[in-house]
Amino acid sequence: MSEPLVIIGNGMAAARLVEELAKRALGRYAIAVIGEEPRLAYNRVLLSSVLAGESEMADIELKPADWWRDRGVTLLYGRKARSVDLAEKRVTLESGESVFYSKLVFATGSRALRLPLPGAELRGVCVFRDGADVDMLKRMAAQRERIVVIGGGLLGLEAAYGLGKCGAKVTLVHVADRLMERQLDAPAAALLKQLIESKGIETLLEANTIRILGDGDVRGVELADGRRIAAEGVVFAAGIAPNSELARDAGIETQRGIVVDDQMTTNIDDVFALGECAQHRGVCYGLVEPAYEQARVLAARLSGEGDVYEGSVVSTNLKVSGVSVFSAGDFLGRDGGETISWRDQGLGLYKKLVIESGRLRGAVLVGDASAALWYLELIRSRADISQWRDALIFGRALCERKAA
Ligand SMILES: Cc1cc2nc3c(=O)[nH]c(=O)nc-3n(C[C@H](O)[C@H](O)[C@H](O)COP(=O)(O)OP(=O)(O)OC[C@H]3O[C@@H](n4cnc5c(N)ncnc54)[C@H](O)[C@@H]3O)c2cc1C
């Protein structure tokens, strides 16, 4: 008889885990997936393109309903898990239903943070995390409202661009002195700001929001330097927090996220976690690629195969703003190394590579990210690039031609 495997969360990590399991151990488990969102799992990364009007929610579903059915998966979506009883191996849903497991996987992802500012509860304050948020943002933008986006990271830029494309007048306010400061160096961020502003998005740096103004409805925001920006909507894009409370309340070890070892196992036998809710070697990733690597390792573990997850080299790609931006690895050269950079202000192009001991350690690209995957592969594989050193900044084709 199949063992009951219950996955809490019906997001990107859960879908990939089922896919990986289906390749290895179909039949061994009777899988049930519990998902709070009232829809099939979708590609959350592409919510930005739904907001920008470039695709519909139906276009970004990860798998059709038949796919899940054909693999015998019971989908309990539109249902939230309320508690987990480790002794009885039971998950209780908000509806009062119980689901029993032999193995349990947390794939509960993260939530967008709402900064604890005065006015944060006003009507017209939202976040950008799921399909329901996108519906709300589109409604706001359709009324051609003025919207302030708080946060100049990847999510804030994508929200600002999408809202602008839907007709809103957008101001992006960011507390740091440059956009995407965790992914870009100063020249790359300056170029990105210039390109974003050319798309009609006003961008304010070193702008610390201290209050959301309004009376019932949002009327604007106030910055620490006294400036006030009139707005009918505010979007927080100022960070995420792992959804780890359900696990913590059940008695599973959590810190920022749910603590897992190199096989995605928690401190409790038969209980696992992956994706944005998991904390591995002290790191909670906020990107999908690590979740997919973890899904492969966890599927192997659940299938009785040995595989270990040792952490991920992360990269960032900005997709919808009409500006190609990529960064990966130690792009600042924090640990030393040699820097090669190339800039064409007129064409809006910037490239920077960090090399150390004949290996590529980090890269930043703005304007043209066509070489991104190759650079990422070189960083991840720690390949010897000495033979290409002179032409490396110009991309793969030239390097290979020179080597031939
Ligand atoms: C707009 C946007 C753009 C992004 N762009 C990129 C990008 O370019 N590159 C990149 O790498 N990453 C990007 N990300 C991040 C990426 O989407 C996440 O890393 C990925 O979705 C993580 O997968 P996950 O399954 O861990 O979490 P999620 O996909 O968030 O899925 C978790 C699911 O669990 C559900 N859940 C939570 N608690 C419960 C409960 N108690 N009961 C039932 N269900 C529950 C949630 O409702 C959710 O559906 C982006 C995210 C957003 C929002």
Side-chain angles (χ1 to χ4, degrees):
M1 222 177 70
S2 304
E3 265 185 78
L5 169 70
V6 173
I7 304 175
I8 306 178
N10 188 22
M12 299 188 75
R16 181 55 70 95
L17 176 63
V18 173
E19 197 175 341
E20 292 283 349
L21 275 171
K23 282 190 221 157
R24 299 156 201 260
L26 201 60
R28 171 162 172 184
Y29 294 107
I31 303 174
V33 183
I34 301 166
E36 184 177 2
E37 291 184 71
R39 43 172 50 105
L40 291 171
Y42 57 88
N43 187 338
R44 197 172 302 282
V45 170
L46 294 180
L47 278 180
S48 311
S49 63
V50 177
L51 177 61
E54 292 160 3
S55 42
E56 301 289 330
M57 281 307 289
D59 302 331
I60 68 168
E61 265 171 20
L62 287 168
K63 305 284 180 199
D66 289 357
W67 185 90
W68 298 94
R69 211 172 21 245
D70 293 348
R71 280 150 192 82
V73 178
T74 306
L75 283 183
L76 301 167
Y77 59 82
R79 321 269 249 289
K80 183 172 184 179
R82 188 180 63 201
S83 62
V84 173
D85 184 326
L86 295 174
E88 293 191 20
K89 293 196 153 188
R90 179 178 64 187
V91 181
T92 303
L93 310 188
E94 278 205 334
S95 59
E97 293 160 272
S98 287
V99 185
F100 288 89
Y101 65 84
S102 154
K103 303 241 180 329
L104 177 65
V105 178
F106 285 86
T108 46
S110 300
R111 63 186 171 281
L113 285 176
R114 285 173 180 257
L115 298 178
L117 297 176
E121 73 296 341
L122 291 170
R123 256 191 315 274
V125 178
C126 28
V127 295
F128 182 27
R129 178 73 199 179
D130 61 25
D133 297 331
V134 170
D135 290 343
M136 166 132 180
L137 292 171
K138 286 187 98 140
R139 272 199 304 277
M140 271 188 351
Q143 291 159 2
R144 306 206 163 253
E145 291 184 275
R146 292 167 295 183
I147 300 177
V148 169
V149 176
I150 300 177
L154 176 126
L155 222 54
L157 284 159
E158 295 195 348
Y161 173 77
L163 289 164
K165 248 193 120 193
C166 298
K169 181 182 178 309
V170 184
T171 305
L172 182 67
V173 301
H174 190 43
V175 70
D177 63 355
R178 64 176 197 266
L179 295 173
M180 293 180 74
E181 74 279 4
R182 275 183 286 167
Q183 290 93 6
L184 299 181
D185 62 357
L191 186 54
L192 176 62
K193 179 170 182 283
Q194 181 190 314
L195 295 168
I196 290 291
E197 287 182 329
S198 74
K199 297 187 184 301
I201 297 165
E202 184 186 15
T203 306
L204 306 178
L205 299 177
E206 297 181 276
N208 184 16
T209 310
I210 55 164
R211 191 186 321 280
I212 299 173
L213 307 165
D215 178 12
D217 293 305
V218 170
R219 292 283 166 252
V221 303
E222 184 178 331
L223 305 180
D225 61 12
R227 272 181 293 174
R228 289 181 165 210
I229 306 159
E232 288 75 41
V234 169
V235 183
F236 280 124
I240 53 174
N243 288 322
S244 55
E245 294 77 4
L246 185 65
R248 184 199 60 204
D249 293 348
I252 296 161
E253 186 189 354
T254 61
Q255 289 171 4
R256 184 155 183 265
I258 305 168
V259 176
V260 291
D261 65 15
D262 288 357
Q263 291 195 312
M264 314 317 297
T265 311
T266 68
N267 63 319
I268 306 293
D269 281 349
D270 296 332
V271 180
F272 309 86
L274 85 167
E276 284 193 359
C277 67
Q279 178 176 325
H280 173 262
R281 297 191 188 178
V283 182
C284 295
Y285 294 96
L287 295 167
V288 73
E289 203 46 47
Y292 284 175
E293 291 173 31
Q294 294 170 359
R296 187 178 37 77
V297 171
L298 179 51
R301 162 78 179 77
L302 290 167
S303 314
E305 299 164 17
D307 199 353
V308 288
Y309 176 69
E310 295 179 322
S312 299
V313 174
V314 296
S315 67
T316 304
N317 257 305
L318 195 62
K319 304 165 302 295
V320 297
S321 57
V323 181
S324 297
V325 174
F326 166 81
S327 105
D330 175 20
F331 62 91
L332 288 174
R334 276 199 192 88
D335 306 327
E338 189 188 345
T339 294
I340 310 171
S341 63
W342 181 77
R343 188 181 338 190
D344 186 326
Q345 194 79 16
L347 291 180
L349 297 174
Y350 175 73
K351 291 183 177 190
K352 174 181 172 184
L353 303 177
V354 176
I355 292 171
E356 195 189 358
S357 310
R359 315 251 183 264
L360 183 60
R361 292 184 50 89
V364 180
L365 307 173
V366 181
D368 172 13
S370 53
L373 283 180
W374 186 53
Y375 289 140
L376 185 58
E377 193 186 302
L378 293 178
I379 295 169
R380 285 190 172 148
S381 64
R382 301 182 48 76
D384 184 351
I385 49 90
S386 316
Q387 51 167 338
W388 298 321
R389 165 69 181 75
D390 297 351
L392 196 64
I393 194 94
F394 301 111
R396 181 176 206 157
L398 196 65
C399 286
E400 289 182 345
R401 215 174 311 141
K402 279 196 76 177

